[in-house]
Structures are given as C-alpha cells and as structure tokens.
Amino acid sequence: MLEYIFFSTINSLLYGMLLFMLSSGLTLIFSMMGILNFAHASFFMLGAYFAYQISQFVGFWPGLVIAPLLVGVLGALVERYGLRSVHKHGHVAELLFTVGLAYLIEEIVMLIWGRNAVPYQIPNILDFALVNILGTDLSAYRVFMLVVSIGMFIFLFLVLTRSRIGLIIQAALTHPDGVSTLGHNVPGVFMLVFGGGSALAGLAGVIGGNYLITEPSMAAHLGPIVFVVIVVGGMGSLTGAFIASLLLGAIQTFAVGVQVSLSDLLALFGLTPEPSGLLKDFLRIQISHTGPILPYLFMVLMLIFRPKGLMGKRET
Amino acid sequence: MKKKDKKGFFMWSKHGLWIAAMLIVIILPFFFRSGFSRSMLSQIGIAIIFALSYNMLLGQAGLLSFGHAVFYGLGGFFTIHILNTVSNGVITIPLELLPLAGGFGAVIVGLVFGWLSTERAGTPFALISLGIGELIAASSLMFPSFFGGEQGISGDRMTVFALTGIRFGKQITIYYLIAFWAFLSIVLMYLLTQTPLGRLANAVRDNPERASFIGYNPHWVRTLQYALAAFFAGIAGGLFAVNYEIVTAETVGFIPSGNVLMMTYIGGVGHFFGPILGAVLVTFMQLSLANMTHAWLIYFGLLFIGMVIWAPSGIAGIIMLHEPVWKAKLMKRLIPSYALAVFPALILFLGTVMFIEISYHLSLSVDPTAPMHLFGIHFRAQSLFPWGITVFLILIGFGLLQRAIKRVRQSWGEVNLIMKKESS
Amino acid sequence: MFKKFVSVLMGVGLLLMMSSGVIAAETVKIGFLDPLSGPFANVGDAGYKHFKYAADMINAQGGDQRFEIVPFDSKLSVSESLIHLKNAIDQGIRFMTHGTGSNISGALIEAISKHNERNPDQQVLYLNYSAVDPALTNEGCSFWHFRFDSHSDMKLAAITDYIKDQKNIKKVYLINQDYVFGHAVRDASIAMLKAKRPDIEIAGDTLHPIGKVKDFSPYIAMIKASGADAVITGNFGSDMSLLVKAGKSAGLNVQYFTFYAGGIGSVPAIGEAGVGHVKQVTEWHNNLWFEENKPDDEKYFMGYNRKYGGEGKAPFFFLRIRTMMEMMDKAIKKAGSADAKNVAYALEGMTHKTPYGTVTMQASDHQLIQPLYISTLSNAGTKTVKYDVENTGFGWKTDKRIEADATAMPTTCKMEKPAR
C-alpha cells in the first residue's frame, strides 16, 4: 500500500507537470488575448515531430533546444499572419481559426510523416532505471522530465516577475487596454506571448512525445483537457494553472485506484438492490473507470459555481 | 403607392422563394435516381434541420456550442427506443410522428442543460458545452442499456404502422418523410425568429445588460432558446434514427458537434438561410468529395480556414452583400470585374489542387510509384515537370488574382458611391 | 439478366459464341469499406492494399474470373458507412468487405439483411475480415455475413491454452477498455482461466475509458501492487502501446497477452519496451514461413512488401485477406455465378489450404476456423527471428501453435437461410 501511494504521488506529480507545461502557455494566451486556442495541442504535437526529425540527424539533445524554438517561431507566424487578420471579426472567428488550424496541422503532419506512429524513442543515455524504491523502478527519463518541467516553471516565473517584458505581460493580463494606452506595442506583446506559449507546448512535446507516442492523433488525443486546467486554475493566473495541473494529475491518478462502485457503497448499508437497465449501469460504474472524465465534470461544476476558477483574478 | 408596390413584390418574391424551394425538394429525387444520391439527399435534409437548430444558438443568441450533437444523438436514441417499443406493440405511434419523440426528449434535457450552462454567454458557455459534450460522449459507452454500447441500438421501421399507409421500405419514401419534416422545421424555425422570443434572443446576444434593464432575464431567454434549439436538433436526430434504423454513440460525439459548427459557419450565421447552404455544401463534400479524393480533409480544412479569414459572414453573407446592389440594378457594374477575377481564381485553384494531389499521391496513396492521373492526364508524380507546372500555376494565379481583386474593390467603390448618391 | 444475355448469344451462332467467351471473363467487384481518411486511415489503408495485392495475385494467374477492389471511405462512421453501402449497391457491387469497427459491422449486418429482404433482386454479401465481436457469429449472426478472422473468444481460448501450460504464471491481471469488446475479453478471460487453470488467481480487473488515458503509470502501479506476473488486455492502438511503455518505465516485469500488439503501427510505438514481454495472438506473423519452412509464403508476402510496403513501414500483415480472396475465387467458380446467395451457399462448409494448414468456413455460424499462433516480440536479425517489422529491429517469434480445431467454439447462432 505504501509503495502504491508513493508511486501514485510521483505519477500524479509527473502528469501534473506535463499538464502544466502545456497549459502555462495556453493560460497566458487565453488570459491576454481571450483566445481559446484549440491548436495548442497541435503545437505540442509539432514539438514532438520536430524533435523526432532532428533526433534522426543530430540526436536528442540539440532537438531539445531547436524544436521548441521552431515551434515558437511557427506560433509567432500564426499569430502575426493568421490570428491578427481574423482578430477584427471577433473572438468566435479567432477561436474557429484555431479549430481549423488544428485540423490542417493534423493533415499536414500526416502528409509529411505518414499516418503511423513514428519511432521517436527515449535517448539511450536516459533509458535506465535511476533508483528502485520499494520494488518499483523510477526511470531516469521520468526524473529528467520532472527536472525539465520544474526548470521551465522557475524560468517562466523569473521572466514574468523579474524582466521588463514580463512585467508588461503581467500588466496586460489584467489590464490589456491600460497597457496599450501607456504606449506599449500590444500586438507585439501578443505575438511574443503566442510564440512563447507555443514554444512551451513544443517543449512539452519534445519531452512528452517519446514518453508517450508520437502519432498524428496525439493532439486530438490530448483533447480539451488543457482547457480544464485553465478554467480550474482561473483566468490570468499561472499559479492557478500550476495548482490545477497538479490537482488534475492527482485526481486522475488516484481515482484509478478506487475500485468502488455505487453498488459497493450501498452494500455497506446492507442494501443490495438488483435493478435493471440504466440504474444497473449506473450502480456498476466504479470510480476508477471515471478517472479520465472526472476533469470535465470538475470543469463544468467549476464554471457553474465558481467561474473565477481557483486563483482567477476575473471571470472567464 | 410606389413603396407599397415594391413591398408587395418583395412579399411575393419571398413566398415565391418558399414555394420554389418546396417544388425543388419534391422533384429532386426524379433527377437523382440512384440509391446513393437519394441517401445523400436524405442526409442533407437531416443536416439542414440540425444546422438551422445550431444557428438558433450561434447566430441568433450568440452562444457558441461545442456540444450540440448531444441533442442530435439523444433525439436519435429516444426515437429508436420509442420505435422499438412501438414495434413490440406496447404503445402505438405512427412512424411519421416518431421524430417528435426525439424532439420532446431533447427539449427536456435541453431545459436542464440550458439552465445550467447559459447563466453567462461567451467563453464560459462554450467551455461548459465542451465539458457536457465530453461527459455525454464518455458516458455513452458507460450506459450500454440506453446507448447500446458500441453496437448502438437498432430497430426496424417496417414493423411500425404508418399513418399515411405508405410502406417506408424504400429510400424514396423516407426521403419524402425527411423532406416534410425539414420543411416544417424550417418554417417553424423561421417563424420563431419573428416571435418576441426570437427578437429577445437577438437583444440578449447584442447587449444582455440592456435586455435585463427592460425586464427580461437573459438567463431565461437563453435557456428557452437553448431548449428550442435542442428540440429541433432532437427532431433531426429522430429522423436520423428513422432513416438509418440504427443509432450509435458516435451521434452524440465530437464529430457531429464539430460538423454542425462548420456547416453553420461556412453557410453563414448572420442570415436565416445561411446554415441551409452550409449543410448542403458540407454534407455534399463529406459524401461526394470523399469519393473523388482521399485528400478531401485537406480541402475541407482549407475551405474552413479560408472562410474564417476572408468571409466570416459565410456564403450567405457574400450573397446578401449583393442584395442592395441587385436592388439598385448595379450588378452590371460589378460583373465585368468578377469575370476578370474568375480566370486567375481558376488558375490558382487548379495549382492548389495539383499541389495537394501530387503531395498526397507521393506521401499517402496506395502506390506512390504508380503513375497518377489528374484531370484526365497521366503523369509521374516523381518527376519535376508537374511540380514546375504546379508552382507556376500557383504563382501566376496568385499574382493575377491580386490584380483582379484590386479591380473588384475598385468597382465596389464605384457602386457604393453611386448607391450613396441615389439614397441621398 | 446476364445469364439471359449469354443464352441469347449461345443461340445466335459460333461467331458470337466466341465473343461470349470474352464477356464471360467477368470482373467481380468487391467493395472495400474502411476508414481511408482521418486518424484511423492507416488501418483502412493497409487493408485496402492487402486486398488489392490479393486480387492482383489471383488476376495474374489468368483464368476467366477477375477481381476488382473498389474502395469506400467509412470514416469510421456508421451513417456514412450505410450511405456508402447504397453507393456500392448502385455500382453493381454485390460483395462488401469491412474490418474496422464492431459498431459498423453490426450495422452492416442489420442493413444488409434488411436490404436483401426488401430487394431480393440485388442481394449483397458481407465479408468480414477483421471485426472480432463474438456476437456477430453468435446471437447476432446472419446468413449474409461471413467472418474470416477468429473472433475474440477464439483468440482468448488460444491465449488461455498457452497459459495453461505455463506453470510460472500464478497471478493474472486483466486490464481492458470500458466498452463491449473490453468487457467481452474480461468476462471470457475470467471464465476460461477458471476452467483451464483453477489455481490461477485473478489479481486484479480494471476497466478504463477507451482512448482517454494519457499516462498509464497509475494502472501500472496497481498491477505492480497486485503482484501479477501476466496481464491480459484487449487494448488496441495507443491504449496498448502506452500501457506497455509505462510498464517498462516502472520496471514492471510481466508478460502481456494482447490481441493487437502486432497491428500496423503498434510495434514502432511500443518500441524496445515490449521485447520479451509482449505476446500476441494472430493467424500469421512474418517469421512463420521460416519457422515452418514455407518459402512460398515468403515469396508472397515479400512481393507485397516490395509493392505496397512503403520501404518496410507498412508490411504484410493480414494472411486472412489472402485466405478470403482465394476462398471467394473458389466459391464464385463453384456457384457458377457471382450471385450473393449462391456464393454464400458455396462458401458454407468450404475448406481451403493455406500455407499453414487447412481452414474451414463453418456452415452453422459462418465463422472461419483457422490455426492460431502465440508469439513474442523479440530482437530480430537473429538465427531464429529472421525478419523485423516496420524497420524497428524487433520481430515475432512463435511460442505455440494452436490447431484450427482447438480454436473452434460452440455457437448460439440460429440462422435463417433463404431457399436455395
């Protein structure tokens, strides 16, 4: 039991940090520009594919740097030449633009790399068990992922609080109009944030793509889970996104272990109903089956009862 | 006097449009005799109701939903369950009225979800609809007694008696049933836009504060509009059930939700008839274009992105842009510049199609080494020559189109100037 | 109609008789319905290529009968599949083949049965090459449906037959996707293990939502905690690859008994994590020819790999498609015409010799009975494991062959057969 709790904690931490890497950029984009970027997961996928392609030529490590930069440049271009021209048509058009973009990116990825998964593998140097705790291996690569994501969190935190551009971004998060009145180049900041956010997603793709699977549907697979993070975390709050990521990681991880269903619960009280039809299905469901859909329930309830999110400064 | 005449003419042309549409719907299957095209027409009819119901949210109430298929699918499931109950002789409802079961089932669910999700419009609503869509899609596999698990629920419409005495075996009979319901739904949804509720939905979309100042709770207005949209989506789902005699979990999923969004948007959300055009075009593309080229998803994605960037008011918006020009009898001033633009647009289109088809052939086709044929010409995709032509066509087309667009803008400027003068 | 035409010609004279010989070289169209665009297109694409190749090979032998494969894009959607069924019927296609998506196969059986009843002049046959829901040849069976793949219970019987003799397996963990097929695998595993190895403990039994789990580590932690030494899973696609990868990263030392580890695209996704751990149950893998010394089969599938293999990325996989096409060829010849009903009767009870033994199409439920193999993912390029799959450096090595008869299962099928 102890080992199970220990490893589930590590698992939830890791999954949470991966979620955070994805959602940190999205939170910035969403809070500043009001765009629900449906193509964010596509940048995650592009990060993985770029890293795979680069690793074919020069190995994993250069890819770790180059791939996110490429994705960032691509993101900036998308903002400059795509989103900005759609901006005048309003938020719905911007959002639908990103939906269409996600769609096209998937098709283009298939055209270039084919429909099957590409063999993007963990670098040999990190492919070993670092320590064995309570009988379970902790692989070096997972520790590496954890280190990269924590490093990214610290870096992001420093940029936002210590640098000039970070302060402008912070201000634009809450008062975008005020910032532009003060004479700052808000479109330029938008481009930077969109590019930077995409690069962060790309970095998550580089280190997540080989841990998971690099395939054309990986963006769609990831689905709207990142939106859950930004809603639960709250508008404009990186700390909120951080907490929400870890929380969601924990919910999903620990729910798996709870193999209790409603009928078990009723049995505790000596009730053993034998229903049929819909009720039977309902009583049969174990908490563990619901792990991956709990976040959505969480998101809907959050939006209904606390639309500010956990740490939000204003309503979504 | 003159004014009245004009109005009379306009009224006639309006009703004339409805009558003409009805006639077209009635005679269409005589031109399209194959089972495939009749099935496609039936699917188009269903899609039209679905897309129009979606526009009750997006266009009329400003509610962007990512989970509208929940009602489409649930409507389908309600109908197929009722159909099976009728088949078993428990109750008696004629087949023609079965889609109503989907509508009424969906409206009840719609009231609940509508109340829960429409307190705020905008992004919160969009996200709640996304979450509800995910939840229903996920639970569709968890509740097999209602959703039938992966297999879905199937039924046999032939075992249900029909009010009209028609035996609904052949596709053509179902086509007319769908056409009837589609026509009825279109009329009803159109009339709804003219009711106080329809106007209020617009008011709440444009300025919720003001609407609440004059005493209408935006939350209630949105909820009612949402529930009514659910009703018509449920009817569409019910027709789906009667048409295919099977309903599976895919109908509540993300694909139909995304599809209806694209149909409505491509057709145009700003005009009542926009989603009809979108439904026809998108369904046709999905069923027919997919037979012509397996790269159809790329074309579809390009079309969608192109519409979002250059024509956010959709096809209907482009058409209606010309209404004042038409009325002012100034079309002849636009047509020459349009005619000039057609040629470069065709070149650019040709180049793009060649580019996509050749890339697709090389990368994803069954046998990339085989010679490919396009527009009746056979060639080897590996050689540089077709690539050269492709790039040439795209560049030339793009360059010429830029100039042509300038001309079009110019003539639009002239037309606008004349119209302004006339009106003042 | 066609027969009439021929008989008129026969009456006319010698000259026309000769030309009728040309017409008699008739082309049989087989409609291929599977996803050909979108995220699952790789599956449909592979199937289509196999059918094309199998048809090419039969056509190359000469003879009067030629096959043509007509592709339709199901997009994995039931409604679109049903519309394309109409499309195919319009084009005069009377044989439809399909494999991906049990939901579509159920709908096709229903739709074709209704169609054949309502339109007796244009009856259609459904040839299933890959949908393995047992119901399709049991309670949901139909005269118009033939399955050329072993269904999931038969494959599970093969797996449990193998486990029966593995005395070192003491605890088995079941992890499956939470839908019909996953439930079927779970229920059948419990029943069969109980019957064949009552001493085995079911250490755990988990269902998870299909296609929603990104990180399987929590499940691995559960498996680890249960102390299981074997895992049975019906997972496919990324749900399976991710499971194995997460197991590797936690150092989980178990054997995975899978249905779909060898599916196209899966081995590259699993990678080294599966070597020595992942087992599959199939009717074929690409080292079988070597193990059973069948150079003819090597020639056959290497021909495919050269033509359609895409430099080894999408190699030959479905022996059953070859089997199906050869049996169809025989059945149409036996029936004397490409009429769906007659061909169906010709297929019933037909036996056929494949490179790896005789297969039988059972008349009672229209289920093909074929030998199955349990094999393990191993490092390729060695003396025993000659070929790898999809340029990964890993290939399959047979653990056990299960004879065709041993895979046969009792059926609950009550088929209504039309008058001959």
Side-chain angles (χ1 to χ4, degrees), chain A residues 92-115:
Chain A
V92 172
E94 284 178 317
L95 192 155
L96 294 180
F97 175 80
T98 64
V99 172
L101 190 68
Y103 200 84
L104 268 188
I105 289 179
E106 187 175 324
E107 286 301 309
I108 292 169
V109 161
M110 276 199 254
L111 263 186
I112 300 176
W113 286 283
R115 286 176 178 132

Side-chain angles (χ1 to χ4, degrees), chain B residues 140-159:
Chain B
S140 65
L141 291 172
M142 286 184 176
F143 295 97
S145 52
F146 181 74
F147 293 101
E150 205 204 7
Q151 305 287 351
I153 306 269
S154 49
D156 189 347
R157 63 180 180 232
M158 300 280 279
T159 57

Side-chain angles (χ1 to χ4, degrees), chain B residues 286-424:
Chain B
Q286 280 172 345
L287 291 176
S288 255
L289 190 66
N291 284 348
M292 288 177 228
T293 164
H294 290 160
W296 72 280
L297 277 169
I298 303 180
Y299 295 104
F300 191 51
L302 282 177
L303 172 75
F304 183 65
I305 284 215
M307 294 298 288
V308 172
I309 296 177
W310 290 297
S313 53
I315 303 172
I318 298 176
I319 294 174
M320 293 311 276
L321 200 64
H322 296 88
E323 197 200 2
V325 185
W326 178 267
K327 276 193 192 148
K329 300 200 172 83
L330 290 169
M331 276 310 281
K332 54 184 179 295
R333 283 182 177 265
L334 287 180
I335 285 168
S337 65
Y338 280 5
L340 268 180
V342 165
F343 186 58
L346 264 180
I347 295 181
L348 184 62
F349 176 73
L350 212 68
T352 317
V353 169
M354 276 184 73
F355 182 76
I356 293 172
E357 288 299 322
I358 297 178
S359 324
Y360 191 90
H361 182 82
L362 284 178
S363 157
L364 293 176
S365 69
V366 170
D367 186 5
T369 54
M372 68 177 289
H373 32 96
L374 200 60
F375 310 123
I377 306 166
H378 294 252
F379 56 91
R380 267 174 50 80
Q382 279 79 0
S383 63
L384 277 175
F385 187 61
W387 282 103
I389 294 182
T390 304
V391 174
F392 178 75
L393 285 177
I394 290 179
L395 288 179
I396 289 281
F398 188 76
L400 288 177
L401 195 62
Q402 292 292 330
R403 301 182 78 183
I405 285 172
K406 242 182 223 165
R407 276 293 302 271
V408 171
R409 286 229 174 92
Q410 220 173 351
S411 33
W412 261 103
E414 288 166 17
V415 167
N416 279 336
L417 211 66
I418 298 172
M419 289 201 301
K420 229 181 222 166
K421 262 187 206 159
E422 273 184 5
S423 65
S424 66

